[in-house]
C-alpha cells in the first residue's frame, strides 16, 4: 500500500465509492467522526422569540384564517439552525397557538403527545377524552397520546398557548397515527375537574386504572398550585446554585414524569439571582412566566420578559440571572433519555 502514490489512492478510493454507491453502500471511515462525535453535536442553535414580536403575526393570522379552517392556528417556533424542519430542538416541536373568542378547533387524536403552556388570556378550554378544562395563564395542560381532543373559546378574549409535541420522536420510530373525530366538537362525558378530583388530591378511587396509559391521569396542572409550591419551597430551603427552586411535574400513578416522552418543569429564581452554569443532554425550551432577567446560552445573551420563549440546545451551557423574582416553565425530552440511560448533566 505504501508503494501506491497518495493521489492515485485518493482517486482509487473515489472510484470505489462511486461504484458501491449504486449498490447503496458507503464507507464508514469518511463519516465516522461525524457519526460518533466526542460530545453532543447538534444543528440546534440557541434562540429567543420575543412575544412582543410574535404576537402581532399571530393576531394577523387570526384575521386571515379561522381556527376551524386551519384545524390548529399555530405559528411554529422553528429553530434557526433547522429551518423548514418544524422543530425547536432535534427532538421536539413547539408552536404558539391562538384561539379567538367564539372559535373552536376541531376534534382529532394522534399518537403524538402534546403539552400546552398557557401564555396569554383565559376562558378557553381544551377537552381530552370527554372532559373539558378551562385554561388560565401559567397552566400546564397535557393531551396524552391517542386521546380525542379539541379546543374552544367561549370567553371574551384571545387565548394563546405554547404547544410542545414529540412529533420528531414519534417520527423517528415511524409510529405516527392520526384520526379526525366524526364531529367537530366531542361530547362532554364528565364534569369539569373530574380528573383532578380522582387523581390530583393524593387520593385514588379503588380499582381505578390509568385512564391515559403511560401519561399522567391529571391533565391540567393549574398555575396557582405550581406557584404556591414554589413559594413554599423558597421559604424553607436555599435555591440550587444553577436552577434556583426547580420542580418537575409528576404522574401521581408512577411518581415519574407527567408524560412518557416529555418532561416539564417550573422554577423560581430569587431577585438578584446569578446562577452557575450548567449543561445537560436534553435540549430545553423555556417560557418566561413572571419577572425579568437574562439567559446566557453558550455565547448568546437573551434578555427575558414574561411570555418570551427561548431554547437551549443539548449540552450548551446555560446560566440564568434574575433582576426580579422570576418564574420559568420548561420542557425537554428527558424521559426518553433517562429511559435509554443517556441523560447527563454537568455543572460548572
Ligand atoms: O392542538 O392538537 O401545535 O395536533 C400541532 C399539532 C397543536 C393540537 C400543534 C396539533 C396540535
Amino acid at each position: 500500500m505504501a508503494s501506491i502514490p497518495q493521489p492515485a489512492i485518493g482517486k482509487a478510493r473515489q472510484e470505489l465509492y462511486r461504484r458501491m454507491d449504486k449498490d447503496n453502500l458507503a464507507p464508514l471511515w469518511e463519516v465516522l467522526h461525524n457519526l460518533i462525535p466526542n460530545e453532543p453535536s447538534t444543528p440546534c442553535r440557541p434562540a429567543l422569540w420575543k412575544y412582543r414580536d410574535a404576537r402581532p403575526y399571530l393576531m394577523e393570522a387570526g384575521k386571515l384564517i379561522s381556527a376551524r379552517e386551519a384545524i390548529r392556528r399555530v405559528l411554529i417556533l422553528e429553530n434557526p439552525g433547522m429551518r423548514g424542519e418544524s422543530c425547536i430542538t432535534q427532538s421536539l416541536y413547539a408552536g404558539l397557538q391562538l384561539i379567538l373568542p367564539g372559535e373552536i378547533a376541531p376534534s382529532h387524536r394522534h399518537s403524538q403527545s402534546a403539552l400546552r403552556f398557557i401564555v396569554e388570556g383565559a376562558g378557553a378550554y381544551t377537552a381530552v377524552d370527554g372532559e373539558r378544562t378551562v385554561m388560565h395563564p401559567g397552566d400546564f395542560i397535557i393531551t396524552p397520546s391517542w386521546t380525542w381532543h379539541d379546543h374552544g373559546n367561549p370567553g371574551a378574549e384571545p387565548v394563546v398557548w405554547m404547544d410542545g409535541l414529540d412529533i420528531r420522536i414519534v417520527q423517528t420510530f415511524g409510529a405516527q397515527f392520526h384520526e379526525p373525530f366524526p364531529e367537530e366538537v366531542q361530547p362532554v362525558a364528565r364534569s369539569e375537574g373530574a380528573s383532578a378530583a380522582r387523581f390530583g388530591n393524593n387520593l385514588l378511587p379503588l380499582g381505578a386504572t390509568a385512564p391515559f396509559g403511560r401519561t399522567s391521569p391529571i391533565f391540567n396542572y393549574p398555575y396557582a398550585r405550581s406557584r404556591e409550591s414554589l413559594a413554599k419551597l423558597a421559604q424553607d430551603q436555599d435555591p440550587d446554585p444553577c436552577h434556583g427552586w426547580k420542580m418537575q411535574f409528576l404522574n401521581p400513578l408512577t411518581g415519574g414524569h407527567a408524560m412518557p416522552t416529555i418532561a416539564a418543569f417550573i422554577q423560581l429564581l430569587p431577585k438578584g439571582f446569578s446562577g452557575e452554569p450548567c449543561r445537560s443532554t436534553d435540549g430545553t425550551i423555556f417560557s418566561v412566566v413572571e419577572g425579568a432577567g437574562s439567559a446566557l446560552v453558550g455565547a448568546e445573551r437573551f434578555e427575558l420578559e414574561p411570555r418570551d420563549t427561548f431554547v437551549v440546545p443539548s449540552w450548551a451551557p446555560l446560566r440564568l440571572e434574575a433582576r426580579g423574582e422570576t418564574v420559568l416553565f420548561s420542557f425537554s425530552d428527558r424521559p426518553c433519555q433517562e429511559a435509554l440511560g443517556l441523560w447527563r448533566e454537568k455543572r460548572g
Side-chain angles (χ1 to χ4, degrees):
M1 198 152 139
S3 62
I4 308 176
Q6 279 304 313
I9 283 196
K11 221 176 131 214
R13 286 179 186 172
Q14 292 307 323
E15 219 277 310
L16 170 63
Y17 304 163
R18 196 184 47 72
R19 279 184 284 117
M20 66 169 79
D21 180 75
K22 49 182 191 309
D23 287 311
N24 302 313
L25 293 165
L28 169 66
W29 56 89
E30 295 289 339
V31 294
L32 183 57
H33 294 296
N34 282 338
L35 277 185
I36 315 278
N38 292 344
E39 20 185 84
S41 151
T42 169
C44 177
R45 296 216 297 257
L48 169 71
W49 290 264
K50 297 299 288 180
Y51 191 65
R52 148 160 44 87
D53 297 332
R55 190 182 191 279
Y57 295 125
L58 199 49
M59 294 303 154
E60 199 178 330
K63 293 198 175 80
L64 296 177
I65 190 163
S66 67
R68 183 180 268 112
E69 190 194 345
I71 311 290
R72 298 295 183 260
R73 190 202 288 113
V74 180
L75 300 186
I76 302 171
L77 298 164
E78 287 215 327
N79 190 282
M82 291 178 285
R83 291 305 313 273
E85 295 184 45
S86 304
C87 57
I88 189 160
T89 68
Q90 266 177 275
S91 61
L92 294 171
Y93 158 103
L96 291 173
Q97 178 158 182
L98 166 68
I99 187 153
L100 292 167
E103 286 194 312
I104 59 110
S107 193
H108 68 180
R109 65 177 174 179
H110 38 71
S111 48
Q112 295 85 354
S113 297
L115 67 79
R116 331 280 174 189
F117 185 71
I118 317 310
V119 171
E120 179 189 334
Y125 67 82
T126 189
V128 170
D129 273 357
E131 184 180 330
R132 288 184 180 178
T133 190
V134 174
M135 302 169 158
H136 302 92
D139 292 355
F140 162 58
I141 295 176
I142 302 173
T143 307
S145 171
W146 208 237
T147 54
W148 296 113
H149 56 284
D150 48 79
H151 319 299
N153 186 352
E157 55 192 42
V159 175
V160 178
W161 63 81
M162 178 173 63
D163 284 319
L165 282 88
D166 56 6
I167 291 174
R168 278 271 185 136
I169 297 169
V170 178
Q171 185 182 41
T172 292
F173 295 120
Q176 311 99 315
F177 292 93
H178 164 270
E179 201 181 341
F181 192 74
E183 294 142 50
E184 278 190 330
V185 179
Q186 65 177 307
V188 173
R190 283 186 304 283
S191 55
E192 196 181 331
S195 297
R198 288 172 201 206
F199 300 102
N201 279 343
N202 290 318
L203 290 165
L204 192 63
L206 293 193
T209 52
F212 304 140
R214 303 279 299 269
T215 306
S216 172
I218 301 170
F219 70 103
N220 187 350
Y221 294 73
Y223 186 59
R225 295 185 66 171
S226 323
R227 189 67 183 83
E228 190 187 348
S229 290
L230 288 173
K232 276 279 175 211
L233 195 64
Q235 273 174 21
D236 299 331
Q237 70 180 63
D238 291 336
D240 176 272
C242 299
H243 306 301
W245 295 282
K246 187 167 181 177
M247 304 180 98
Q248 68 191 63
F249 290 94
L250 280 191
N251 176 344
L253 297 181
T254 63
H257 294 291
M259 302 171 72
T261 49
I262 303 179
F265 307 91
I266 190 104
Q267 75 195 98
L268 175 67
L269 309 174
K271 182 174 174 354
F273 184 72
S274 179
E276 289 174 12
C278 183
R279 53 173 74 185
S280 61
T281 49
D282 51 331
T284 304
I285 301 94
F286 288 82
S287 180
V288 183
V289 195
E290 291 179 36
S294 342
L296 293 98
V297 188
E300 308 257 7
R301 181 186 188 93
F302 299 142
E303 294 306 325
L304 308 177
E305 294 167 283
R307 299 174 173 159
D308 291 348
T309 306
F310 66 98
V311 60
V312 180
S314 164
W315 218 234
L318 168 66
R319 220 165 68 63
L320 292 168
E321 292 176 351
R323 278 196 302 286
E325 200 175 52
T326 295
V327 179
L328 303 174
F329 169 83
S330 59
F331 70 97
S332 78
D333 63 12
R334 193 175 300 183
C336 299
Q337 297 201 28
E338 286 174 344
L340 300 174
L342 294 172
W343 186 74
R344 291 196 201 188
E345 180 182 58
K346 191 172 166 206
R347 287 162 180 258

